[in-house]
Amino acid sequence: MTILYDERLDGALPEVDRQALIHALRSQLPDLELLDRQEQLKPYECDGLSAYRSTPLLVALPRRLEQVQQILKICHQQRVPVVARGAGTGLSGGALPLEKGLLLVMARFKDILEIDPAARCARLQPGVRNLAISQAAAPYELYYAPDPSSQIACSIGGNVAENAGGVHCLKYGLTVHNLLQVRMLTVEGQPLTLGSEALDSPGFDLLALFTGSEGLLGVITEVTVKLLPKPQIAKVLLAAFDSVENAGHAVAAIIAAGIIPGGLEMMDNLAIRAAEDFIHAGYPVDAQAMLLCELDGVEADVHDDCERVRQLLQQAGASEVRLARDEAERARFWAGRKNAFPAVGRLSPDYYCMDGTIPRRQLPAVLHGIARLAAEHQLRVANVFHAGDGNMHPLILFDANQSGELERAETLGGKILELCVAVGGTITGEHGVGREKINQMCVQFSGDELSLFHGIKRAFDPLGLLNPGKNIPTLHRCAEAGAMHIHHGQLPFPELERF
């Protein structure tokens, strides 16, 4: 069984004088909205990963930067842990509050400060929704490329904290590849600017270090992102396969041919059926696997690439290849994929969304490994993933009302991540580590590597007050969990070597 986060394993958090903290906040920030009653705190006890719950000590809802600075200063003086939270759509428990800490909600900072079409960038407060950026840039024929499935709700601050991706990250990159500058506050409330509006900035690349740091190094107050011109045209091919192996070989063939699709997504039969029942996108429900391949750019190039990709898909064994007839059908194809998570939620009372990344060549072996692990744990798994860059999202179906199923789901999720590491992959591609995968950090990294991570954390936050107990396990925790470092390249199941 996976050992869940336990504060005792990561060192006892300091005792907090709740009344002294409330008094300091209300006396120094009389206009700050502060939630302290149980019924007010309950809505903040979990994020998108709702299997884990923890009621915060207090919730602060600032509206001005000066309030955020003062909150951090007060918490630092009183040694109060702080967890920053945006829209709460995270899927690794990274924004879960602490019972002995303050939850700093940045959702009210939702202004688009500037759209600069000449420089092709946008300045944003951290609470701006991902989709709202492209909507604001649309009049200038520009858009923001990273598009997580939760883009209608997730905030840009959370995207930076988790280094979010999306279905188009193969060609256009993750959040880190689309950032110019981040303004942040240290644990002591001091402002720092990382990166630059220019293409490069002097000194170490702290912007890249900060992106994906999951709230451990500072609190985001402003983000400057790159905007891209809308492609002249975009076409989507849908291909059905009788086996996941053939679909995996098709992915490898497309990339090997030098074609970089705007998006290259795969779904297995269970995910296909769920999405089709929910969205009615026209998916082939009898297929064992399905690929969506989007090609964008100049019309002549896209037309030629569509023909080349069609041939490659057929050579790889596709039983059917369809080109979206028009923009409406293209939108339906993508709607099915982007709604795969809620669609799978209709199949089971609960599901556990994993996030691991593997080398593309290992895709067939890992899918067979997941099937074997699922059978061993007597649970169903629907597979949805960014096939082009190997980022997998196995969705483990379970019923938390049935005794032992949640524990089996957590154990299965951990085994799947360890399988990803064993084939040379990693335990997360875009969802982060948070509370969910902290044991698997012990599996992926050695003691020396974890010590280095802790050193970086101490450089920004010597007292360990920002989001403690997340992302980086202590060596003591790894020993308690019985986890051992796995060297890549050794498959857990010898029979999978044939793939």
Side-chain angles (χ1 to χ4, degrees):
M1 172 182 170
T2 300
I3 299 176
L4 299 183
Y5 170 80
D6 184 341
E7 291 173 5
R8 292 172 300 175
L9 296 180
D10 290 291
L13 292 174
E15 289 298 327
V16 176
D17 188 332
R18 188 171 187 268
Q19 292 307 314
L21 177 60
I22 292 174
H23 175 74
L25 290 169
R26 286 187 168 152
S27 61
Q28 297 184 45
L29 297 166
D31 59 342
L32 171 67
E33 186 169 356
L34 190 66
L35 309 182
D36 61 350
R37 299 197 306 272
Q38 192 69 11
E39 65 270 20
Q40 295 175 317
L41 302 175
K42 274 291 182 182
Y44 295 94
E45 68 179 2
C46 67
D47 59 5
L49 187 74
S50 57
Y52 303 162
R53 296 177 184 273
S54 178
T55 304
L57 184 74
L58 295 172
V59 173
L61 294 148
R63 292 183 180 274
R64 303 190 315 277
L65 181 59
E66 296 78 14
Q67 291 177 317
V68 181
Q69 287 182 288
Q70 193 62 26
I71 290 168
L72 289 171
K73 288 178 181 178
I74 292 171
C75 288
H76 186 261
Q77 290 167 359
Q78 299 198 15
R79 302 298 191 262
V80 177
V82 176
V83 176
R85 174 186 169 116
T89 60
L91 292 171
S92 63
L96 258 65
L98 298 167
E99 293 182 359
K100 296 181 180 179
L102 179 136
L103 186 66
L104 177 60
V105 179
M106 300 293 288
R108 291 179 173 176
F109 291 87
K110 53 185 179 181
D111 290 341
I112 296 175
L113 303 173
E114 181 184 12
I115 299 288
D116 187 341
R120 292 182 180 173
C121 67
R123 285 196 308 116
L124 318 156
Q125 289 187 318
V128 174
R129 292 179 302 112
N130 178 286
L131 185 59
I133 306 172
S134 291
Q135 291 171 336
Y140 308 100
E141 294 298 313
L142 300 171
Y143 77 110
Y144 178 62
D147 57 345
S149 294
S150 59
Q151 68 176 155
I152 193 172
C154 65
S155 60
I156 188 63
N159 290 173
V160 173
E162 303 295 344
N163 194 21
V167 298
H168 291 92
C169 64
L170 172 62
K171 184 173 183 178
Y172 296 106
L174 302 167
T175 300
V176 69
H177 305 113
N178 290 273
L179 289 179
L180 289 172
Q181 183 173 276
V182 168
R183 296 184 187 275
M184 49 85 76
L185 294 173
T186 69
V187 67
E188 298 175 345
Q190 294 297 314
L192 286 179
T193 299
L194 309 180
S196 167
E197 292 187 7
L199 291 178
D200 197 6
S201 58
F204 293 114
D205 188 2
L206 296 181
L207 178 60
L209 174 69
F210 187 81
T211 306
S213 61
E214 302 189 33
L216 270 69
L217 306 183
V219 176
I220 298 165
T221 59
E222 186 181 304
V223 182
T224 302
V225 301
K226 301 175 186 177
L227 299 176
L228 300 180
K230 288 184 177 179
Q232 187 181 105
I233 191 172
K235 296 287 187 181
V236 174
L237 289 159
L238 181 156
F241 292 86
D242 295 331
S243 72
V244 292
E245 291 89 0
N246 286 344
H249 294 321
V251 171
I254 292 169
I255 302 300
I259 300 170
I260 305 298
L264 186 55
E265 300 289 304
M266 185 188 292
M267 300 166 68
D268 70 4
N269 182 259
L270 189 56
I272 293 167
R273 288 180 176 273
E276 180 60 20
D277 288 344
F278 186 40
I279 297 297
H280 308 296
Y283 287 172
V285 294
D286 293 327
Q288 292 303 302
M290 184 190 80
L291 286 180
L292 286 176
C293 181
E294 179 166 287
L295 301 157
D296 60 12
V298 179
E299 186 168 0
D301 292 342
V302 170
H303 176 77
D304 290 344
D305 284 345
C306 281
E307 288 305 311
R308 291 175 63 200
V309 169
R310 181 190 292 274
Q311 293 173 11
L312 292 168
L313 292 170
Q314 291 170 339
Q315 290 168 8
S319 57
E320 177 188 8
V321 180
R322 272 187 273 152
L323 178 67
R325 293 184 298 263
D326 51 32
E327 183 60 26
E329 187 170 42
R330 171 180 171 268
R332 281 199 304 275
F333 284 174
W334 280 121
R337 166 58 187 89
K338 288 203 169 188
N339 284 280
F341 290 6
V344 168
R346 290 155 54 97
L347 302 179
S348 176
D350 303 281
Y351 72 82
Y352 189 24
C353 178
M354 303 308 298
D355 164 50
T357 300
I358 61 171
R360 284 187 294 265
R361 68 181 183 278
Q362 297 285 4
L363 199 153
V366 170
L367 285 173
H368 275 270
I370 290 173
R372 172 170 169 172
L373 288 167
E376 287 179 0
H377 292 81
Q378 300 178 348
L379 293 169
R380 292 184 296 166
V381 177
N383 288 289
V384 181
F385 47 95
H386 311 311
D389 62 345
N391 186 198
M392 306 182 68
H393 295 309
L395 306 174
I396 303 170
L397 280 57
F398 70 99
D399 184 351
N401 294 315
Q402 299 297 316
S403 178
E405 284 209 8
L406 172 58
E407 289 78 11
R408 291 211 315 273
E410 289 172 333
T411 301
L412 173 55
K415 294 294 184 183
I416 289 173
L417 295 178
E418 290 166 18
L419 172 60
C420 292
V421 174
V423 301
T426 179
I427 63 173
T428 180
E430 56 182 344
H431 291 179
V433 175
R435 198 177 281 193
E436 174 196 56
K437 301 170 187 163
I438 196 163
N439 282 359
Q440 281 66 48
M441 286 287 286
C442 304
V443 170
Q444 178 150 16
F445 296 102
S446 68
D448 288 343
E449 290 167 322
L450 292 174
S451 295
L452 177 61
F453 296 159
H454 281 290
I456 294 170
K457 165 71 169 168
R458 285 193 296 271
F460 283 83
D461 179 18
L463 298 178
L465 296 177
L466 290 176
N467 214 8
K470 313 279 184 62
N471 192 280
I472 312 170
T474 63
L475 298 182
H476 174 68
R477 176 182 176 82
C478 292
E480 289 284 338
M484 297 182 65
H485 179 55
I486 290 179
H487 293 284
H488 71 274
Q490 181 180 355
L491 285 169
F493 312 130
E495 67 269 27
L496 298 186
E497 292 287 357
R498 66 186 178 88
F499 295 101

